[in-house]
Amino acid sequence: MSGHSKWATTKHKKAVVDARRGKLFAKLVKTVEVAAKTGGGDPAGNPTLADAIAKAKSQSVPNDNIDRAIKRGSGELAGGVSYESVTYEAYGPSGVAVLVECLTDNRNRAASDVRVAITRNGGTPADPGSVSYLFNRKGVILIDKTPDLTEDDILLAVLDAGAEEVNDVGDAFEVVSEATDLHAVRVAATEADLTVASADISWLPSVSVPLDAEPARKVLKLVEALEDLDDVQNVWFNADISDDVMELVSS
């Protein structure tokens, strides 16, 4: 399994006590606003918005914040911002491929901030297309484990909705689907009374780079620096980090 999936589960566990929770809230609210602007403010007819709302609620974003974001995005409330989606590519320490997804109202600022974070943390900016071909766009859902829950139980619940595979990733089960099936799979999991920890459109690596502790620490330092930027929504990378190494570098 990719280091990114392990990193995602680690971050989810830390989220409750994350000192940057306010920054996380802002990013989730931005996602809701953009989804409402793109597909309308009714989650029943806008699966992207429904997924964005579910993710925000899973991280305890207040309902008032979510509602205001929907109204700004749909034009019911003044103050909406025009955000642009842009992806940057880079090579990190040890040749790890990195994709950086941004939602920004200032493309020049985003490009400058991302470039600085990359170069200051041992990475090299890459031309468009030089890294992205190493990844596949997928839907990824993390489901909380319970004592009696098995991979087969989950697969039975979500297979007809479009799930492709179920993986044990330590403290959670990871369900992978085509990106277009993410919403249907999340709904199926919820209807089966499974606890969905997160549901995201993700870039999963087709080729991974195995890392020991020190290179892994450098890569995750770069990832954290990028994730700390206001314009950055997601960072994907193709490091293969074992459970033992991840425990060492995230403790």
Side-chain angles (χ1 to χ4, degrees):
M1 183 191 60
S2 72
H4 183 275
S5 294
K6 293 190 180 75
W7 182 235
T9 59
T10 299
K11 285 194 301 177
H12 182 73
K13 287 189 295 181
K14 289 182 173 181
V16 177
V17 294
D18 192 346
R20 296 176 299 176
R21 195 164 183 79
K23 189 179 292 271
L24 173 63
F25 279 11
K27 293 185 178 186
L28 293 172
V29 166
K30 187 190 294 185
T31 302
V32 171
E33 184 174 336
V34 170
K37 183 174 183 178
T38 303
D42 180 9
N46 184 350
T48 302
L49 176 60
D51 291 336
I53 292 170
K55 183 176 181 181
K57 288 185 174 182
S58 75
Q59 295 293 343
S60 302
V61 176
N63 288 333
D64 286 349
N65 296 40
I66 295 172
D67 291 341
R68 283 195 298 272
I70 294 171
K71 290 178 179 178
R72 285 195 303 270
S74 62
E76 292 182 50
L77 189 66
V81 177
S82 180
Y83 292 110
E84 179 181 7
S85 177
V86 58
T87 300
Y88 300 100
E89 303 183 25
Y91 289 104
S94 300
V96 168
V98 181
L99 289 180
V100 186
E101 290 185 339
C102 296
L103 279 178
T104 181
D105 59 350
N106 187 323
R107 191 184 184 109
N108 291 335
R109 179 192 65 220
S112 175
D113 289 349
V114 168
R115 179 176 289 273
V116 168
I118 290 169
T119 55
R120 285 184 177 175
N121 290 279
T124 304
D127 293 332
S130 59
V131 164
S132 58
Y133 78 95
L134 295 169
F135 296 81
N136 296 309
R137 195 163 175 79
K138 294 288 185 177
V140 177
I141 294 174
L142 293 179
I143 293 177
D144 288 342
K145 281 188 174 181
T146 59
D148 298 326
L149 188 63
T150 68
E151 293 179 42
D152 288 341
D153 293 333
I154 296 173
L155 192 58
L156 184 64
V158 298
L159 184 61
D160 288 344
E164 296 178 343
E165 60 181 287
V166 178
N167 303 306
D168 187 332
V169 294
D171 291 329
F173 288 109
E174 175 190 66
V175 181
V176 179
S177 70
E178 288 297 328
T180 52
D181 292 329
L182 174 69
H183 178 72
V185 173
R186 182 182 65 77
V187 170
T190 301
E191 290 179 346
D193 293 325
L194 302 174
T195 302
V196 176
S198 66
D200 296 287
I201 301 296
S202 305
W203 286 98
L204 298 186
S206 56
V207 178
S208 296
V209 179
L211 296 180
D212 292 329
E214 190 55 34
R217 189 173 284 110
K218 291 178 180 178
V219 168
L220 294 181
K221 182 182 177 183
L222 167 60
V223 171
E224 286 188 307
L226 289 166
E227 289 180 335
D228 201 41
L229 299 176
D230 290 340
D231 289 321
V232 172
Q233 292 293 105
N234 294 294
V235 181
W236 314 104
F237 55 98
N238 73 336
D240 181 8
I241 305 175
S242 70
D243 291 336
D244 291 341
V245 170
M246 184 61 78
E247 186 173 349
L248 283 172
V249 301
S250 61
S251 59

